[in-house]
Amino acid sequence: MNVIYLSPGFPAEMPLFVRGLAKIGAKVYGVGDQPVQALAEDARSALTDYLRVDSFSDEAKVVEDVRAGMRGKSIDRVECMWERLMYLAATLRETFTVPGMNKAQTVIVRDKELMKPAVESAGLRVPRHGRARSVREAWEVLEGVGYPAILKPIDGAGSVDTYRCNDRQEFEEALKKTRHVEELSVEEFIEGEELTYDTVCADGEILFENVAWYRPKPMVLAQNPWISMQNIVLRDITQELPRPGVELGHGVLKALGFTTGFTHMEWFLKPDGEAVFGEIGGRPPGARLVHAMNFSADIDLFQGWAEATCFGRLSQPTEKKYNAAMIFKRAQGDGLVREHRGLRGLLRRYGDCVASIELTPIGQPRRDWRKVVVGDGWIVVRHPELQDCMDISERFVNDLTIIAE
């Protein structure tokens, strides 16, 4: 099994997927724009070979470079977990006639204003929405959407260039801030909890599924530098909170015809219990959420995804044992990190429940939270009981302070 893997060194989780492919016996041929020396050891040691390209932006050149680099070898899969390169991956699949999402399927999970009508046509609830290529079009769409509204890029990721607008003045300000964005989605703001529905699939069968609960919403986090975000992976997805999203997710996957790989859907649970679709990506969640999913079930989903993608199965036990909370910390102050205040006491009290902890080391510069989603580090705590997990997580939110000066 020869697998082309685009950008094996970036973003940060990519080397772990490369390692997963190698673990299940695949020969992995990396294609990237970094020097091979810049790749993490997990990627370098797992790659069979590495082709460095000048730029991913010249699609035709990358296709020819891959053709030349793989001459005499079969290409069985083309994989990409970075949204920016998903169109290129689809082009390579079509060029070399290999399984996976083609360009028509890829555009559905990249373009929010093609995605939502496809979901809506299956009778599933989506926010009121519309596409805007100009300021005039944005105002026209807003008339049908109403306030409060969300303004965000058509093919964006995370909360970058995403704004909630409660009135005309805020909408005007958001339009000014997004002048550099070619196409925007204007949509209804949904009041309620924001959660994920994540899967690993093979040939249309869901082999692993997950619901994670964002606390607070990502957009609130993006606007408040002092907040420690929590992503809580739920052990029992049949309970009242996650169940509507699981049912919605099943419908969305069917409506979009998704067959094989990772998916990451975001959805809203309104106070009245209605589940509303947000968006979906044909790739794994970022921000270390796969790690939290692994800790919830004592599983390796980097390897599990590889096995599902290459061989159509997931042979590891998938039953969840824990609720797992991922907490991101942001340093207080500027300059170098001087103290992890409160950490020793927390570990003394809750150490048995801490699955992983990575913080910016003492003496290192604090990170820019606007550029690094994990901020100055992350902690995973886990417990079989949801309330206990949430209580422990809150202690790390409130009692651990990273001091920089």
Side-chain angles (χ1 to χ4, degrees):
M1 176 72 70
N2 293 337
V3 180
I4 298 290
Y5 195 98
L6 300 182
S7 191
F10 183 85
E13 287 94 341
M14 297 308 103
L16 302 177
F17 288 103
V18 174
R19 185 185 67 185
L21 286 164
K23 279 185 174 181
I24 56 99
K27 292 182 178 179
V28 191
Y29 296 84
V31 178
D33 56 1
Q34 301 171 282
V36 68
Q37 298 86 354
L39 301 180
E41 174 58 26
D42 278 329
R44 285 200 310 272
S45 61
L47 290 173
T48 299
D49 203 355
Y50 181 71
L51 171 65
R52 185 180 180 186
V53 296
D54 295 330
S55 170
F56 282 121
S57 59
D58 189 341
E59 192 172 278
K61 178 71 163 49
V62 173
V63 170
E64 290 311 307
D65 287 346
V66 170
R67 190 191 305 277
M70 294 297 290
R71 188 167 287 120
K73 306 179 188 75
S74 67
I75 298 177
D76 302 303
R77 297 287 188 276
V78 175
E79 296 303 325
C80 174
M81 297 299 202
W82 187 17
E83 280 195 317
R84 182 188 155 214
L85 301 181
M86 288 181 69
Y87 289 126
L88 172 59
T91 297
L92 288 166
R93 291 186 194 109
E94 292 187 358
T95 300
F96 298 108
T97 320
V98 300
M101 286 194 297
N102 59 30
K103 285 188 276 192
Q105 293 167 323
T106 299
V107 73
I108 291 290
V109 295
R110 291 292 288 122
D111 187 316
K112 294 176 176 60
E113 288 306 320
L114 293 177
M115 179 193 304
K116 285 188 175 68
V119 172
E120 195 171 18
S121 67
L124 302 171
R125 170 77 157 94
V126 304
R128 297 185 298 274
H129 62 94
R131 180 191 304 269
R133 299 183 181 88
S134 66
V135 170
R136 179 181 60 79
E137 287 184 2
W139 284 108
E140 289 174 355
V141 174
L142 180 66
E143 287 184 17
V145 168
Y147 294 113
I150 295 291
L151 191 67
K152 61 185 179 181
I154 283 285
D155 61 353
S159 299
V160 178
D161 293 319
T162 299
Y163 299 95
R164 173 180 172 169
C165 308
N166 296 302
D167 53 36
R168 182 181 183 87
Q169 181 179 347
E170 290 183 0
F171 195 71
E172 286 176 344
E173 286 299 315
L175 286 173
K176 291 176 184 176
K177 292 175 181 176
T178 54
R179 271 183 240 175
H180 60 286
V181 179
E182 268 187 45
E183 289 186 292
L184 292 165
S185 176
V186 183
E187 65 180 52
E188 170 193 6
F189 174 80
I190 302 295
E191 190 64 64
E193 300 294 339
E194 187 169 352
L195 303 96
T196 77
Y197 175 68
D198 314 287
T199 72
V200 176
C201 300
D203 301 320
E205 180 185 357
I206 298 170
L207 304 181
F208 179 89
E209 56 187 346
N210 172 74
V211 173
W213 182 12
Y214 292 144
R215 303 180 74 224
K217 295 181 181 181
M219 199 163 64
V220 174
L221 180 76
Q223 296 166 352
N224 296 278
W226 55 272
I227 291 179
S228 293
M229 185 175 185
Q230 304 170 69
N231 291 345
I232 301 179
V233 169
L234 302 174
R235 178 178 63 84
D236 185 355
I237 61 174
T238 67
Q239 294 299 307
E240 184 178 357
L241 176 68
R243 187 174 60 247
V246 175
E247 295 169 357
L248 175 65
H250 291 174
V252 170
L253 293 179
K254 184 177 179 181
L256 299 184
F258 190 85
T259 59
T260 299
F262 239 119
T263 66
H264 171 58
M265 183 182 92
E266 295 179 334
W267 60 282
F268 304 93
L269 183 66
K270 294 174 60 180
D272 63 5
E274 182 185 26
V276 182
F277 174 77
E279 58 188 65
I280 191 169
R283 45 88 181 168
R288 306 295 195 274
L289 190 54
V290 177
H291 290 74
M293 291 155 61
N294 284 343
F295 286 122
S296 75
D298 284 333
I299 194 173
D300 181 353
L301 288 171
F302 300 107
Q303 180 177 333
W305 158 82
E307 186 182 22
T309 297
C310 293
F311 302 123
R313 62 177 185 264
L314 205 172
S315 57
Q316 302 172 68
T318 58
E319 182 182 0
K320 289 186 178 177
K321 304 171 184 176
Y322 306 97
N323 301 280
M326 173 82 71
I327 307 114
F328 297 118
K329 300 300 297 186
R330 293 170 174 177
Q332 303 299 307
D334 296 313
L336 303 181
V337 171
R338 297 300 186 189
E339 183 184 359
H340 299 152
R341 185 173 297 168
L343 179 60
R344 187 173 301 174
L346 287 164
L347 292 178
R348 190 163 49 244
R349 185 173 181 183
Y350 301 113
D352 289 346
C353 298
V354 176
S356 182
I357 182 165
E358 292 187 19
L359 302 176
T360 301
I362 302 295
Q364 294 295 310
R366 70 158 296 175
R367 297 169 185 157
D368 186 344
W369 61 272
R370 291 161 295 192
K371 297 178 181 178
V372 183
V373 68
V374 299
D376 283 290
W378 52 283
I379 305 103
V380 179
V381 299
R382 63 184 187 177
H383 196 282
E385 298 300 325
L386 177 57
Q387 190 59 56
D388 288 332
C389 182
M390 293 173 64
D391 290 345
I392 297 167
S393 181
E394 285 291 333
R395 295 276 54 83
F396 277 85
V397 167
N398 295 317
D399 298 347
L400 172 62
T401 307
I402 301 176
I403 305 296
E405 57 185 28

